[in-house]
Amino acid sequence: MTRRLQVSAAAVLVAALACASCGTEERASTSGTPIDGATGPAPTLGWTLTPSDVGVEGGQFRDPVQGSDTDSTESGSISDGSTVVTLVGRLDGREFVDATLVGLHIADGAVRWRTPAENVVGCGEELVDGQVVCYRGSAGTTSEILTVDAESGESSTRDAAFPITGLTTTDGHVYTSRAVREGVRPTVSRGTADDVDADWSVQFDSTSSLNTQFASTLHTENGIGLFDDGRGVFAFDLATGENRWSRTAPNCARSGTASSDGNVRVVRTDCSDPTVVTGSEIVDADGSVLAATNSVTLQRPTFDAPAEQSPLLLGTGGYRPPNPDPVWTDESLVWAVAPEITGPAAAFLSTNGLAYAVTGSVALLRNDDTATESAIDLDTGNTLWSRESEGFAEVGALDGDVATLFGPEVLHGIDVGTGSTVWDIPVATFDDEGIDRQSWPMFDRVGTDSIFTRALSISVLRTT
């Protein structure tokens, strides 16, 4: 960012601290400032702050969802459209010390509060009753719930009824999971921060043992709940906890992820060795298999918003249910494995597909072996465009046909159908100290604002 904008951000902070006793009335969102070097109809800069601006000299921003117990290397924030909550602390090897949750006013970046957040394992992605909900303790026999009021920063802790292995928040509810223990099957519960199983608790018929090498995961995105214990995937109803379907022994599976339409990508594995992939499938909310393949190529787009009428991308082909055969195939939809690459690296490359996003009837691909990025038409399998890669990136938002791509060295909008750059912002403008390639940035859309978080800066961008 420019020196002028740094001074402006510092002034905002000073004003906020000087007005600590002022009322908490909502402020109107201010218009942004054009960003030096930006091209096209790029978003403008509402404000930007560094760790030192929020009182942590030499610190770095991290994602509260990933916690502070260890260094996740991922930046990020949680927001309700009024307050932006991020985690800031200092690195000490792999430890993230002096961790503090910080609440910022989304309108102007004013610091609303700071709350200590040491040893937090993770936090929910959404606020519940105006509070950030986090937890401590996952390896022992007890866990603790931490809540922080997003407006005042007032915090409260209470003991959880059981040791928590995962926590998410969705639509005003707190979802938690507990580990497999002697005589107790893995369990998912829904409730509140004060009573985490107040609504319901549901056990799953897991075949996983206490010594399973995969940590369990819990997800509640896109209208469906998913619990993965490393050997099986269990889908449950968010309102009732009812087990809608499962994939477990003798048909072991893992890594269930839901797309925007609620369909779930499931990785099929060998029950004797969960690291061995035997295929994949796409399952709807009722458990019906829409498409399946024995191909070991896994397409795992991090942004998955397919068009209802287009074929489903799976393995190396496009599938149109209920036809079990692909309408097109392309064996090049997987990374090439050079002869000198062996072992786990070779296994990873041989199963990892090129698709990093699905937007409507278009799949965006990245081939690190050839340093190219491209797009295919899911209706036909034809290549729409291909070009030299401009740096590793993910899709953070989709506005019509324009996708926002962000990464350590990338922040721009592209037309997904043509690959042409619609707008571009030099990421170096957010950081006078140089691009931090050791930490993954995060781009979140909140209403008409976007929050772009990096290790050394957090910024709010506004549409023009």
Side-chain angles (χ1 to χ4, degrees):
M1 60 182 166
T2 64
R3 181 62 54 184
R4 178 176 61 82
L5 288 174
Q6 279 187 315
V7 172
S8 176
V12 167
L13 178 62
V14 171
L17 296 178
C19 192
S21 61
C22 295
T24 58
E25 70 213 29
E26 294 299 323
R27 306 170 197 178
S29 178
T30 56
S31 59
T33 303
I35 299 172
D36 290 349
T39 63
T44 56
L45 182 63
W47 52 264
T48 190
L49 295 172
T50 66
S52 60
D53 290 330
V54 298
V56 183
E57 194 70 38
Q60 293 191 14
F61 292 115
R62 290 294 185 264
D63 186 0
V65 173
Q66 302 299 324
S68 63
D69 202 32
T70 58
D71 178 25
S72 69
T73 75
E74 297 180 26
S75 60
S77 63
I78 305 167
S79 179
D80 61 354
S82 173
T83 302
V84 179
V85 180
T86 190
L87 186 67
V88 64
R90 298 182 179 89
L91 289 182
D92 182 7
R94 281 287 290 137
E95 299 298 316
F96 195 65
V97 300
D98 300 326
T100 303
L101 285 170
V102 179
L104 309 169
H105 201 295
I106 198 170
D108 55 18
V111 177
R112 306 183 90 168
W113 49 262
R114 301 177 183 82
T115 298
E118 294 285 355
N119 305 123
V120 168
V121 181
C123 302
E125 297 89 341
E126 299 177 10
L127 272 61
V128 176
D129 296 328
Q131 295 181 321
V132 179
V133 182
C134 311
Y135 75 106
R136 295 186 175 106
S138 61
T141 58
T142 60
S143 293
E144 182 180 77
I145 298 292
L146 166 70
T147 58
V148 182
D149 186 275
E151 184 172 310
S152 68
E154 181 179 352
S155 65
S156 177
T157 60
R158 71 281 277 161
D159 291 334
F162 47 80
I164 294 171
T165 59
L167 180 150
T168 69
T169 53
T170 301
D171 294 332
H173 301 288
V174 179
Y175 295 82
T176 53
S177 61
R178 67 189 88 174
V180 177
R181 296 190 180 276
E182 186 175 354
V184 179
R185 292 177 292 170
T187 304
V188 172
S189 302
R190 192 186 87 167
T192 66
D194 294 317
D195 189 354
V196 291
D197 56 357
D199 296 335
W200 48 256
S201 289
V202 176
Q203 293 185 332
F204 298 115
D205 293 322
S206 171
T207 59
S208 182
S209 68
L210 288 171
N211 298 320
T212 183
Q213 59 182 309
F214 288 97
S216 63
T217 59
L218 178 65
H219 298 285
T220 54
E221 296 90 355
N222 298 317
I224 189 167
L226 294 170
F227 176 73
D228 176 356
D229 68 358
R231 290 174 62 89
V233 176
F234 305 87
F236 59 92
D237 187 281
L238 293 179
T240 66
E242 176 189 0
N243 189 183
R244 306 189 70 159
W245 55 264
S246 60
R247 293 292 184 272
T248 186
N251 301 299
C252 291
R254 59 178 171 85
S255 304
T257 56
S259 59
S260 62
D261 55 12
N263 294 332
V264 179
R265 293 180 178 272
V266 174
V267 179
R268 298 204 304 260
T269 61
D270 185 331
C271 286
S272 62
D273 185 355
T275 65
V276 176
V277 174
T278 61
S280 59
E281 59 191 33
I282 295 178
V283 184
D284 71 10
D286 296 322
S288 299
V289 177
L290 301 178
T293 178
N294 292 327
S295 169
V296 298
T297 298
L298 303 177
Q299 304 296 343
R300 292 181 281 199
T302 56
F303 188 94
D304 199 1
E308 183 178 355
Q309 71 278 10
S310 294
L312 302 170
L313 178 63
L314 189 69
T316 56
Y319 293 77
R320 194 185 298 276
N323 188 348
D325 299 318
V327 295
W328 57 263
T329 59
D330 184 348
E331 296 300 321
S332 67
L333 291 178
V334 63
W335 287 354
V337 182
E340 63 271 17
I341 300 177
T342 59
F348 173 81
L349 291 174
S350 64
T351 60
N352 201 70
L354 302 182
Y356 68 91
V358 172
T359 63
S361 61
V362 176
L364 300 179
L365 315 175
R366 181 186 302 107
N367 190 327
D368 290 340
D369 183 54
T370 59
T372 58
E373 55 187 6
S374 59
I376 60 172
D377 184 335
L378 291 176
D379 292 321
T380 63
N382 295 334
T383 298
L384 295 172
W385 53 268
S386 180
R387 67 185 180 197
E388 183 178 340
S389 177
E390 296 179 329
F392 196 84
E394 299 290 353
V395 173
L398 183 65
D399 300 294
D401 294 327
V402 178
T404 297
L405 269 60
F406 73 96
E409 301 178 69
V410 173
L411 181 57
H412 58 209
I414 68 164
D415 186 305
V416 296
T418 65
S420 60
T421 298
V422 178
W423 57 265
D424 178 72
I425 295 175
V427 293
T429 61
F430 298 100
D431 174 17
D432 283 343
E433 299 179 49
I435 297 172
D436 176 18
R437 296 180 177 86
Q438 303 303 312
S439 178
W440 186 250
M442 186 62 66
F443 187 95
D444 292 307
R445 178 65 56 79
V446 181
T448 59
D449 291 334
S450 297
I451 305 171
F452 186 47
T453 315
R454 298 167 60 79
L456 301 179
S457 65
I458 180 170
S459 310
V460 162
L461 307 176
R462 301 207 158 95
T463 56
T464 55

